[in-house]
Amino acid sequence: MFPICLDVANLTVFLVGDDRATVRRLKLLKEAGAGNEETNGKLFIYSEKPSKELIAEAGDNLILSLPSEEKIKTANVVMVVDIIEEKAAKIAAIARKYNILVNVEDNRKYCDFFFASLIRRGDLLLAVSTNGQSPT
């Protein structure tokens, strides 16, 4: 593992998922500046069956489908959360085909990167990693 921090405020980020874990990841992305129009960052949330909470949190960024290959090609980072493995694997394969960083939560074989546990205090950011293993 090699630790890095991504400035998601400057990237095109795709978040794919349907439920609570997607909402948690979306809140973290927003907190980190994803979708910041001032820096040309873009945040797209793709969901076939969004929960009510996801609909409320995603707002106008919600797209009611999975991303197509043509769309995935435009992303810098793809994050997949709480969808079935078959669909997640297909999205991961497309992202990798175009050298786009991808993370499928809780499925290491489809991940190019992993999330660390974070402690944020203003500009100070502390990250702790378990090398992609579940900390439990």
Side-chain angles (χ1 to χ4, degrees):
M1 290 293 134
F2 186 83
I4 63 170
C5 292
L6 294 176
D7 186 357
V8 293
N10 293 311
L11 300 174
T12 298
V13 178
F14 283 19
L15 178 60
V16 183
D18 294 325
D19 209 357
R20 282 185 245 158
T22 309
V23 173
R24 281 193 305 273
R25 183 60 40 90
L26 177 54
K27 287 178 179 179
L28 289 171
L29 284 166
K30 286 180 175 181
E31 183 179 312
N36 185 339
E37 293 179 10
E38 292 177 17
T39 60
N40 293 321
K42 295 179 178 66
L43 176 60
F44 299 96
I45 299 93
Y46 288 89
S47 179
E48 289 184 304
K49 299 175 187 173
S51 66
K52 290 179 182 178
E53 188 179 7
L54 180 58
I55 291 168
E57 188 68 34
D60 293 339
N61 293 333
L62 182 63
I63 300 164
L64 297 174
S65 68
L66 294 178
S68 67
E69 183 168 344
E70 289 303 309
K71 292 292 184 182
I72 292 171
K73 287 173 23 177
T74 68
N76 298 118
V77 179
V78 176
M79 300 174 190
V80 182
V81 186
D82 65 24
I83 64 171
I84 63 170
E85 184 174 351
E86 180 182 323
K87 291 179 181 184
K90 182 177 179 182
I91 292 167
I94 293 168
R96 285 180 165 167
K97 176 179 174 181
Y98 295 102
N99 297 314
I100 297 163
L101 291 174
V102 64
N103 175 278
V104 176
E105 187 171 87
D106 295 333
N107 204 326
R108 187 176 181 151
K109 66 184 170 188
Y110 302 122
C111 295
D112 296 320
F113 64 95
F114 305 100
F115 294 98
S117 294
L118 303 177
I119 299 170
R120 209 181 278 275
R121 300 289 187 269
D123 287 338
L124 175 65
L125 177 64
L126 299 176
V128 179
S129 172
T130 58
N131 275 345
Q133 301 298 317
S134 173
T136 58

